Amino acid sequence: MSDTSTTGDPRHPTNDRSVSFAPTEGDTTTTAMRRTGAEGVDAGVGLTALLVAAARAIETHRHDSLARDVYAEHFVRAAPACADWPVSIQQVPEGDDNPLWGRFARYFGLRTSVLDDFLHQSVGTGVRQVVLLGAGLDTRAFRLDLPSDCVVFEIDRAGVLAFKEQVLTDLSAAPKAKRILVPVDLRADWVTALTSGGFDPAAPSVWLAEGLLFYLPGPAETYLIDTVDRLTTRGSALVFEAKLEKDLLAYRDSPIYTATREQIGIDLLDLFDRGPRPDSAGDLAAKGWSTSVHTPFDFTRQRGRGPLPEPNDALEGNRWVFAHKPRF
């Protein structure tokens, strides 16, 4: 694992070229990342992007949907790996009783809605730069009413972005804000790629790391959070998802993980990094950010829809962290 420390002015990110999380042969902490290094959406972490897309499609077709994504089902149908996955709850024999396509899919719908609101609130304060870390099949630039002068930077591996672009092109989809694709692995020099694409560290920005950090080794998460801090000015915001379980394997037989393995062949616990997790919320607070940490269940109770706690719950350790860098 490369050293996570870095020096230099964040406005000149070429100083960071020596910092990388590319795995080495002797580095056991990156075993999961080597295992999930598939370039597109056919396997590994890329396949989980399709899982979330299917969940968003199901949410879209609900009569009480929390979020709508009319593009989601097209991603699912365009990928051979998931051609038989459901895109509406009516296609699920057990309906909402299915741990995967019922409860877990509703979780993704809730998460999408909450982060949509966070993004809207941020641009409402005048922020005009949006950075999607590990963008996957995110279509917020298309489906949200963002200001026309807003710029959305989508960072992900080239194969994932190419798949998404092909589907959206076939649909003649038109974004509501300017999009800049940043095809780079987050273990490589994504800072240079982002700033080369036009990102301005001197202007406020809002960052989304949705369903990303628990795939990364702890030092990689720390580096990423520290880098966001260096690349942001006052008035910026960040939301990310974390997992607090000390032993992820204790939940291996939970209904969600079991159903995901058995029904679609994705072993999430094999993809998650199982090393110690950093206290990224605490680190941001120490740097002067205002942070708040919530369980998904907080928003279920607030909105009246979504998962609630249950025994042997794979969602028990999930936290959504909202952070703001004060304007003054």
Side-chain angles (χ1 to χ4, degrees):
M1 181 67 64
S2 300
D3 184 60
T4 59
S5 63
T6 182
T7 58
D9 186 340
R11 299 188 189 187
H12 299 86
T14 52
N15 293 333
D16 297 329
R17 275 197 185 276
S18 62
V19 179
S20 171
F21 282 96
T24 62
E25 283 303 315
D27 189 352
T28 58
T29 63
T30 54
T31 299
M33 295 307 294
R34 289 199 299 272
R35 187 168 56 243
T36 61
E39 182 65 21
V41 295
D42 298 324
V45 173
L47 189 57
T48 67
L50 290 167
L51 165 60
V52 177
R56 287 177 176 155
I58 290 172
E59 187 68 29
T60 298
H61 291 298
R62 288 181 179 273
H63 72 277
D64 60 348
S65 65
L66 289 161
R68 290 181 53 78
D69 183 350
V70 298
Y71 307 101
E73 66 180 278
H74 295 281
F75 295 131
V76 177
R77 292 295 173 249
C82 57
D84 60 346
W85 292 4
V87 292
S88 72
I89 197 65
Q90 290 75 25
Q91 296 173 352
V92 180
E94 307 90 355
D96 281 325
D97 291 331
N98 184 296
L100 170 57
W101 300 121
R103 188 170 187 265
F104 204 21
R106 195 93 227 225
Y107 170 82
F108 290 125
L110 178 67
R111 188 180 73 182
T112 298
S113 174
V114 171
L115 270 59
D116 284 355
D117 289 349
F118 181 83
L119 179 52
H120 273 135
Q121 292 162 7
S122 296
V123 300
T125 66
V127 175
R128 291 296 181 268
Q129 295 186 115
V130 178
V131 182
L132 305 178
L133 293 166
L137 303 179
D138 188 303
T139 59
R140 287 184 169 94
F142 294 82
R143 59 184 183 77
L144 298 186
D145 290 325
L146 298 175
S148 59
D149 59 343
C150 194
V151 182
V152 179
F153 297 90
E154 301 185 12
I155 305 178
D156 212 319
R157 292 171 298 176
V160 175
L161 294 179
F163 171 79
K164 177 161 70 171
E165 286 310 286
Q166 185 60 61
V167 173
L168 292 172
T169 298
D170 290 345
L171 295 172
S172 299
K176 299 179 180 179
K178 183 178 180 181
R179 293 173 70 227
I180 296 181
L181 303 184
V182 186
V184 63
D185 193 308
L186 284 169
R187 293 166 292 164
D189 183 17
W190 62 268
V191 174
T192 296
L194 177 62
T195 54
S196 296
F199 177 81
D200 181 7
S205 50
V206 56
W207 300 64
L208 276 64
E210 183 176 13
L212 169 67
L213 298 185
F214 30 77
Y215 296 109
L216 303 178
E221 175 179 333
T222 298
Y223 169 73
L224 187 146
I225 294 296
D226 286 348
T227 303
V228 172
D229 176 60
R230 291 187 300 104
L231 289 174
T232 49
T233 188
R234 293 185 178 275
S236 296
L238 163 68
V239 60
F240 62 91
E241 186 176 19
K243 290 185 74 65
L244 302 186
E245 296 97 336
K246 294 188 181 301
D247 181 11
L248 285 170
L249 292 180
Y251 296 89
R252 185 165 186 80
D253 63 347
S254 70
I256 280 179
Y257 291 152
T258 299
T260 304
R261 285 194 303 269
E262 293 179 351
Q263 295 183 37
I264 59 176
I266 297 178
D267 190 338
L268 290 172
L269 288 176
D270 197 43
L271 299 177
F272 295 160
D273 185 87
R274 296 199 287 271
R277 305 313 306 174
D279 179 12
S280 294
D283 291 344
L284 285 170
K287 296 176 186 296
W289 291 66
S290 172
T291 63
S292 62
V293 182
H294 298 271
T295 72
F297 311 127
D298 294 337
F299 292 97
T300 293
R301 297 182 181 103
Q302 179 190 95
R303 303 186 182 209
R305 301 193 292 283
L308 287 169
E310 62 179 28
N312 191 20
D313 195 349
L315 302 179
E316 182 179 8
N318 288 42
R319 296 294 185 273
W320 298 346
V321 181
F322 305 86
H324 296 83
K325 185 173 277 192
R327 293 181 177 274
F328 306 104

